[in-house]
Amino acid sequence: MSVPTQDKITEKLRAVIDPELRRSIVELGMVRSIEVKDSGRVEVVVSLTTAGCPIRSHFEQAVAKQVSELDGVTEVAVGFDVLSDEEKGNLQQTLGRGKLPEGALAQVKNVICVASGKGGVGKSTMTANLAAALSAEGYPAGALDCDVYGYSIPRMLGVNRKPEVNAERKILPLEAAGGVKVMSIGFFVEENAAVVWRGPMLHKAIQQFLEDVAWDDLDYLLLDLPPGTGDVSMTLAQLLPQARVVVVTTPQPAAQSVARRAAEMAAKFDLELLGAIENMSGFTTPGGERFTIFGEGGGQLLADELDIPLLGKVPLSEALREHADSGTPLVTAEPDAPASQAIRQAARGIVAATPQELPVLQAAPANTEPAPVGGTPLPVIQ
């Protein structure tokens, strides 16, 4: 049997994704060398951004898995070296980043940006409750408050103190009730203080929250984006090229048309739209009478126009607002409330639309014989 060519091996390595930069190691120029022996042994050297890279095992297992699937491969050996300062500089320039990540997001499986085209649609309330709902469903979740000027996630999740720093100089996120990990600029300024920053300072703060926070093993990290399509949204699109976007709107046509701009921003940066959520979809009185205070149908119209699913229609609820103000998300405080059920449905829609684990399964040795059948022989009835 002939051995595979370097080109075929390179093509297989395109499936190995850096879990932080969210791009192929081939595209990133991290494949240093490929050697193919006549015996079928393949030796691949991968260049890491840092010698102590905490996701080294991810690359080792993923490279071995992909290459071992090729015909003619009998063994895969994966070695490592470190990018030179010049190579790091070139990679930073290619990615448009001032600093390469060092493992903070390595164990975060899915990054979800919660966006809207305008303020006042309940985007932060949705972010806090979605994170709590995902955690309650058994999926470790975090919430990152990217609305630097209008931070509100600390209040909504009931946490507000200065975070600690671990031995690796990573910031430890605070943990809200239910296990949701939380980070916000609000933890680093005086209570209710105004943040008056220009664009470059915003960029640096968001980058630090993504790269210098010990998020550890999360299934979902939800990012509460500021309204509109300004500096922060562009920074996140640049730093997280494979993040997914959930768009929040209210039912009236004016809000729906503005929310479309957030979707257009995602499309410009090739970010995947995961779905839409309609908030304040209607109000039901204690007597059962329903009023569509903000109109009706805007969420479905937005979803149809963008060809994405409508993940949920969350009714206008006084309890939802009260629990947000008190720092106890409605989905955990009153799980049977109609608004809670709608948000939990949206959370399940997010789970259904996202992969549950990174492709880092342990590779089996190539071309191994099947194991012999064992067990206790059964008596044969004549």
Side-chain angles (χ1 to χ4, degrees), residues 69-273:
E69 292 175 353
L70 290 169
D71 291 337
V73 175
T74 59
E75 184 182 1
V76 181
V78 185
F80 297 92
D81 66 6
V82 180
L83 293 171
S84 67
D85 290 341
E86 182 180 356
E87 289 169 331
K88 288 180 185 178
N90 291 337
L91 183 55
Q92 288 171 333
Q93 188 172 8
T94 300
L95 297 171
R97 301 171 71 128
K99 177 185 175 185
L100 294 176
E102 297 180 357
L105 283 177
Q107 296 171 278
V108 176
K109 296 180 177 65
N110 298 283
V111 179
I112 310 294
C113 297
V114 184
S116 68
K118 64 189 292 294
V121 300
K123 173 179 49 58
S124 297
T125 303
M126 290 300 104
T127 301
N129 278 271
L130 283 170
L134 288 165
S135 183
E137 293 282 329
Y139 300 97
L144 172 56
D145 196 345
C146 296
D147 192 350
V148 175
Y149 296 132
Y151 54 89
S152 55
I153 291 296
R155 172 185 286 274
M156 292 183 176
L157 287 173
V159 288
N160 192 14
R161 66 179 188 275
K162 289 196 183 305
E164 298 178 354
V165 176
N166 65 15
E168 287 75 40
R169 305 294 298 168
K170 295 290 184 184
I171 304 169
L172 297 175
L174 302 188
E175 191 166 307
V180 177
K181 293 186 176 181
V182 189
M183 184 53 58
S184 171
I185 191 63
F187 299 152
F188 301 93
V189 298
E190 294 297 324
E191 188 173 358
N192 296 321
V195 178
V196 185
W197 285 354
R198 293 186 182 274
M201 296 178 69
L202 290 174
H203 180 99
K204 185 172 180 59
I206 296 300
Q207 184 170 349
Q208 186 168 19
F209 285 155
L210 293 173
E211 297 175 357
D212 293 333
V213 173
W215 291 109
D216 295 333
D217 189 6
L218 293 180
D219 284 337
Y220 295 94
L221 177 60
L222 274 65
L223 277 56
D224 180 26
L225 270 61
T229 56
D231 287 346
V232 171
S233 298
M234 289 187 288
T235 291
L236 290 167
Q238 184 182 48
L239 296 176
L240 300 167
Q242 287 198 341
R244 296 171 172 86
V245 178
V246 170
V247 182
V248 178
T249 185
T250 46
Q252 69 267 41
Q256 172 262 325
S257 61
V258 174
R260 194 187 307 118
R261 298 174 195 165
E264 290 171 357
M265 180 274 296
K268 283 185 178 180
F269 290 99
D270 295 323
L271 300 181
E272 178 186 348
L273 288 173

Side-chain angles (χ1 to χ4, degrees), residues 347-372:
R348 294 185 190 114
I350 290 172
V351 171
T354 51
Q356 296 309 298
E357 56 186 13
L358 292 168
V360 294
L361 299 178
Q362 181 66 45
N367 299 331
T368 55
E369 294 294 327

